[in-house]
Amino acid sequence: MNLLTPLLIAARKPGFHYDASALEAATLIRQARAADLLAHLEVALHNRIDPKVSPRFQMHVEAARILAEKQRQNVNWEVEQIAKATRRIGVPMVLLKGSAYIARNIRAGRGRLLSDIDILVPQGAIDDVENSMKKSGYFPKEVSDYDRRYYREWSHEIPPVVHFNRHTTVDIHHSILPPTTRLKPDARLLLAEAEPLPGHEDVYTLSPRDMILHSACHLFHEGELQHGLRDLVDIHTLLSEFMTDQAAWEGLVTRARQLDLMPPLYYALRYASRILETPVPPHILKAVQAGGPGCLMGKMQDWCFGEAFQPDHPTCRTWHSGLARLLLYIRAHYLRMPLAMLGPHLAYKALVVPYRERKREEDRLRRQQQLQG
Amino acid sequence: MKLRSLSPIQVEAHLENGLALESGPFTFTVRGRYAVLRDSLHLLYADHPILSADSFVDFPVSLRAPNPLRRIFRPQVQFYFDQHRPFYPLPADQAFASFEWGLNWVISNHAHRFIILHAAVLERRGHALVLPGEPGAGKSTLCAALMMSGWRLFSDELTLIDPPSGNAFPLCRPVSLKNASIEVIRSCFADATLGPIVDATSKGRVTHVKPTEASVAKMDTPAPIAWIVFPRYEEGAPTRLNPRSKAESFLEVAKNAFNYSLHRQQGFEVMRRVVSGADCYHLSYSDLEEAMARLEALPLPEPVEPEIESLPR
């Protein structure tokens, strides 16, 4: 049973206190860890854990807090290292997602763990940025020829670069959706509204409403639902911090229309309000309705997303969770590319990639084992 | 209730649903259907308390075949932490070793409430002795030998330091022995309880020594760190115990820590206090008896002068 989502909702009430049996508290830790929300849980429950709850619970959230704080320090430092590379060639650099939330010190960044730093640069500058990053010690990750071609021709990002010494991974984007998607947001509009990041020269983050739209795009149009709940929590947190009045909400809808991003906004608002009980004004939900699917498709998606936004943990899984995730995976691909491209791509992914990935995984584990020895 | 009070069949039944054990500050459940796992746990964790099914479990781990075929054909064992598989599967006869190594990985990657150093720790006269050392330096052998001669075992691998007190916490799990050290311990200490020996692991021949009953009985009692000794086994070398500079010792200990950097400034402050308050030595030896005698004769450190307030941040 999903213990995490109801708790995150309940914890928003001011007088809330967390009380649970040892068994429930331990299950909650496992679910939060699987959802990558353990440090978020620490922030949500800060100083509001009943003394009757096992002190072991405290030990785990404390560990997550230590990890998140160290990561905050690392991110702030790494951002400046990346900025040195982009400044050298006079290119503005926009931080995206987790690293932007952390660097801006907004609520969505508290207890947000991340595995890589995402940046957005003007499309024309992408090769220069890649080269300049190389000079700073960030080298392209080895990818297969197929993937390289995929990145270059059909993607909105280039193969990730990794720092040779610190192993930090940076994803360099020139847009927020693949060029093959039916939706065509103009990245130049995003850059034009980007806001300078205090304390860093020539470093920007998206405006709050663009952060929301980008997070929605990423979640509902890229099919990466492994951390679905975490990403929905991001959207909830951004909405509750920045959509404080009527004008802000309307500005968000106007912006979605301008960027051709009504569908992702529809999905974000629908599922944030359905799953995390994010308060969204009814007339705003109505205004984005145009971006939504038909009745039957809508029902089906409600079911699929309802499953996919559970923590990815055995205690939350049913026999049909896998099916829901598979359908959403196919949906994301369908949204991302024309059908003529989709068939061959999925065939490649289904037949060739598992074989290659298994080999790579085996190598990785073998290396790790050697290190342990 | 202790694990020794169960029969092998009862242990097997527990292992089906998750055998819940407490060791030092942690609780964990183990699942797995391997006879070597059942027998080794029963033997080496005999004095550890079993927990009821409704306890808070820190680390649920299981050992399973990576796929059904691997139950029958060249059987293998895969270590799982909850649903994660951090390692490559191993031959099934390494099920217990795989559990021990896996649990070390789980603790060093998740128990960040502690600063975790890569070092053996034991206690005597209320003070802890830390033995850092790269693989092959002989810290496990020395650790097993000291435990068998009356020191209280904390750990042979993981030094758990509690910030802000700086005290070491016992982990109290079996001591891993490799290759020649197995014979050394067996011949010197007839009363040592050794698990089954597994050949041909990535580390060679491997077995584990059961923690002494006295160590398990006091596994809730931490101790301040009095001595940090860097051992080095050198064949034919005379026993030498020389003081080592604190700055150098600090760097060496920090370099071999699992999560020191995560603790940032507090980590530095705590480790600075720990190293200042302890006496640091370099020990080279070839004769185990002599080395132990020198360690037992170590004086307690002089009390450190009251601290000057640390510099403003």
Side-chain angles (χ1 to χ4, degrees):
Chain A
M1 196 180 58
N2 180 355
L3 302 174
L4 179 61
T5 315
L7 177 66
L8 291 178
I9 295 166
R12 287 181 213 142
K13 296 204 187 75
F16 176 83
H17 259 262
Y18 178 64
D19 191 5
S21 73
L23 202 58
E24 276 174 359
T27 308
L28 179 66
I29 293 289
R30 294 167 68 186
Q31 293 182 356
R33 185 177 284 138
D36 206 16
L37 282 168
L38 195 51
H40 178 84
L41 185 67
E42 195 275 332
V43 175
L45 296 183
H46 196 67
N47 286 337
R48 301 193 300 163
I49 300 167
D50 197 280
K52 291 200 293 295
V53 177
S54 166
R56 300 190 171 277
F57 180 84
Q58 194 69 48
M59 180 183 93
H60 290 276
V61 290
E62 174 72 4
R65 183 188 62 78
I66 288 169
L67 204 60
E69 280 180 6
K70 175 63 183 172
Q71 206 167 55
R72 168 177 297 272
Q73 188 185 38
N74 284 354
V75 165
N76 285 324
W77 190 80
E78 195 76 39
V79 161
E80 190 48 30
Q81 306 314 305
I82 301 168
K84 279 180 192 158
T86 48
R87 267 203 298 269
R88 181 160 48 214
I89 50 171
V91 171
M93 182 264 275
V94 182
L95 292 173
L96 299 174
K97 296 194 283 192
S99 57
Y101 310 152
I102 290 174
R104 232 175 221 288
N105 201 13
I106 57 178
R107 269 190 246 154
R110 289 181 207 152
R112 174 65 150 80
L113 298 176
L114 43 79
S115 51
D116 41 31
I117 293 182
D118 297 272
I119 65 169
L120 175 71
V121 296
Q123 181 155 26
I126 205 119
D127 290 337
D128 292 344
V129 169
E130 195 182 8
N131 281 329
S132 186
M133 294 284 284
K134 229 178 250 173
K135 282 184 198 142
S136 293
Y138 299 88
F139 293 95
K141 212 179 232 177
E142 267 186 52
V143 292
S144 67
D145 291 343
Y146 181 87
D147 283 349
R148 187 180 316 280
R149 183 169 154 222
Y150 182 90
Y151 272 115
R152 290 289 168 189
E153 290 181 23
W154 301 325
S155 179
H156 54 306
E157 56 186 313
I158 60 173
V161 297
V162 182
H163 192 270
F164 77 101
N165 191 14
R166 299 189 294 273
H167 308 290
T168 329
T169 305
V170 184
D171 286 339
I172 307 171
H173 303 247
H174 53 77
S175 182
I176 57 169
L177 278 178
T180 46
T181 316
R182 289 169 195 81
L183 306 173
K184 306 278 180 221
D186 186 346
R188 284 169 303 183
L189 294 175
L190 296 169
L191 292 173
E193 201 177 289
E195 297 175 4
L197 180 69
H200 299 266
E201 218 176 301
D202 287 330
V203 181
Y204 300 79
T205 62
L206 296 177
S207 63
R209 58 183 189 173
D210 286 356
M211 278 185 194
I212 295 167
L213 291 171
H214 176 227
S215 188
C217 273
H218 178 68
L219 179 53
F220 292 99
H221 285 255
E222 288 200 79
E224 305 217 342
L225 282 160
Q226 200 197 353
H227 290 134
L229 182 60
R230 199 258 332 248
D231 294 349
L232 197 63
V233 165
D234 279 350
I235 292 177
H236 163 84
T237 316
L238 289 168
L239 288 170
S240 26
E241 182 165 0
F242 295 110
M243 295 300 117
T244 45
D245 57 21
Q246 189 69 18
W249 279 111
E250 275 159 15
L252 178 65
V253 177
T254 312
R255 185 67 168 169
R257 201 168 289 133
Q258 192 182 11
L259 286 168
D260 194 18
L261 293 178
M262 283 302 264
L265 182 59
Y266 164 81
Y267 287 110
L269 299 185
R270 176 165 183 85
Y271 293 108
S273 56
R274 267 177 82 95
I275 290 174
L276 293 172
E277 296 181 16
T278 312
V280 180
H283 74 280
I284 296 292
L285 274 178
K286 212 164 167 195
V288 295
Q289 192 73 43
C295 176
L296 195 65
M297 198 52 158
K299 286 258 184 314
M300 170 117 158
Q301 288 184 351
D302 283 351
W303 172 72
C304 284
F305 281 117
E307 295 282 338
F309 286 132
Q310 303 264 337
D312 191 12
H313 190 263
T315 55
C316 302
R317 245 171 248 158
T318 56
W319 62 272
H320 45 257
S321 321
L323 178 64
R325 281 176 193 270
L326 178 69
L327 289 175
L328 289 174
Y329 180 77
I330 296 171
R331 168 189 175 271
H333 275 77
Y334 167 74
L335 291 175
R336 189 149 64 175
M337 47 184 86
L339 271 178
M341 219 175 111
L342 181 62
H345 176 68
L346 283 184
Y348 180 85
K349 286 271 213 186
L351 301 174
V352 184
V353 174
Y355 169 75
R356 289 213 171 142
E357 275 194 352
R358 231 186 97 191
K359 269 194 81 168
R360 201 166 39 206
E361 179 75 351
E362 283 174 7
D363 285 348
R364 185 183 70 83
L365 291 172
R366 196 173 295 126
R367 274 200 304 275
Q368 194 166 10
Q369 216 129 45
Q370 275 163 3
L371 280 178
Q372 294 275 316
Chain B
M1 195 171 61
K2 289 179 175 180
L3 186 57
R4 69 160 75 241
S5 62
L6 298 186
S7 71
I9 293 169
Q10 285 173 311
V11 175
E12 188 153 315
H14 272 267
L15 279 169
E16 281 287 314
N17 302 315
L19 169 68
L21 290 172
E22 182 174 1
S23 195
F26 307 121
T27 56
F28 52 89
T29 50
V30 202
R31 278 166 210 256
R33 288 186 189 162
Y34 298 87
V36 63
L37 177 71
R38 176 197 64 203
D39 296 342
S40 304
L41 281 167
H42 201 192
L43 182 69
L44 303 175
Y45 284 87
D47 299 319
H48 282 71
I50 320 172
L51 300 168
S52 62
D54 57 356
S55 315
F56 189 110
V57 171
D58 291 316
F59 305 123
V61 307
S62 56
L63 294 120
R64 304 203 287 269
N67 58 58
L69 182 67
R70 289 297 184 204
R71 256 179 240 145
I72 311 148
F73 176 69
R74 288 207 210 156
Q76 285 187 336
V77 59
Q78 170 84 63
F79 176 86
Y80 282 83
F81 167 50
D82 209 348
Q83 53 184 340
H84 299 287
R85 292 168 301 170
F87 307 111
Y88 193 62
L90 294 171
D93 63 342
Q94 298 181 27
F96 180 72
S98 173
F99 159 72
E100 284 293 321
W101 297 334
L103 197 54
N104 281 346
W105 177 89
V106 169
I107 292 170
S108 53
N109 281 279
H110 296 90
H112 301 314
R113 153 181 161 12
F114 294 103
I115 297 173
I116 307 175
L117 311 180
H118 188 194
V121 213
L122 300 108
E123 177 264 6
R124 195 179 169 91
R125 292 175 279 161
H127 292 268
L129 161 71
V130 174
L131 301 165
E134 56 249 51
K139 69 173 157 46
S140 287
T141 321
L142 201 51
C143 175
L146 288 168
M147 171 182 84
M148 292 315 299
S149 15
W151 289 67
R152 180 156 72 100
L153 172 76
F154 277 25
S155 170
D156 67 330
E157 275 290 313
L158 306 175
T159 299
L160 306 175
I161 294 178
D162 164 61
S165 76
N167 288 338
F169 270 65
L171 184 54
C172 219
R173 289 175 36 227
V175 177
S176 135
L177 289 182
K178 282 172 281 194
N179 304 320
S181 59
I182 301 175
E183 278 321 305
V184 171
I185 296 302
R186 207 186 339 230
S187 59
C188 295
F189 304 96
D191 52 341
T193 308
L194 270 66
I197 295 173
V198 192
D199 286 309
T201 74
S202 59
K203 310 179 188 202
R205 273 158 62 84
V206 168
T207 191
H208 289 82
V209 192
K210 178 181 170 296
T212 50
E213 201 172 343
S215 302
V216 182
K218 284 184 76 188
M219 69 183 185
D220 294 331
T221 314
I225 295 170
W227 310 285
I228 301 174
V229 179
F230 296 82
R232 172 161 294 280
Y233 173 85
E234 285 169 39
E235 210 166 313
T239 309
R240 277 189 311 244
L241 187 67
N242 297 325
R244 190 170 189 188
S245 100
K246 294 208 170 179
E248 207 187 333
S249 305
F250 188 153
L251 285 178
E252 195 62 31
V253 166
K255 201 174 75 187
N256 290 310
F258 286 100
N259 65 356
Y260 166 69
S261 70
L262 282 188
H263 288 265
R264 306 188 296 152
Q265 186 163 358
Q266 191 193 27
F268 176 82
E269 295 290 342
V270 171
M271 286 311 297
R272 186 182 59 79
R273 255 190 296 122
V274 167
V275 178
S276 310
D279 283 345
C280 304
Y281 298 94
H282 185 92
L283 168 71
S284 52
Y285 73 100
S286 56
D287 186 318
L288 198 54
E289 294 277 327
E290 270 185 36
M292 287 198 298
R294 296 295 292 275
L295 290 174
E296 293 195 7
L298 278 176
L300 280 180
E302 299 278 320
V304 193
E305 288 183 21
E307 287 214 7
I308 305 161
E309 277 295 299
S310 52
L311 293 170
R313 293 180 183 190

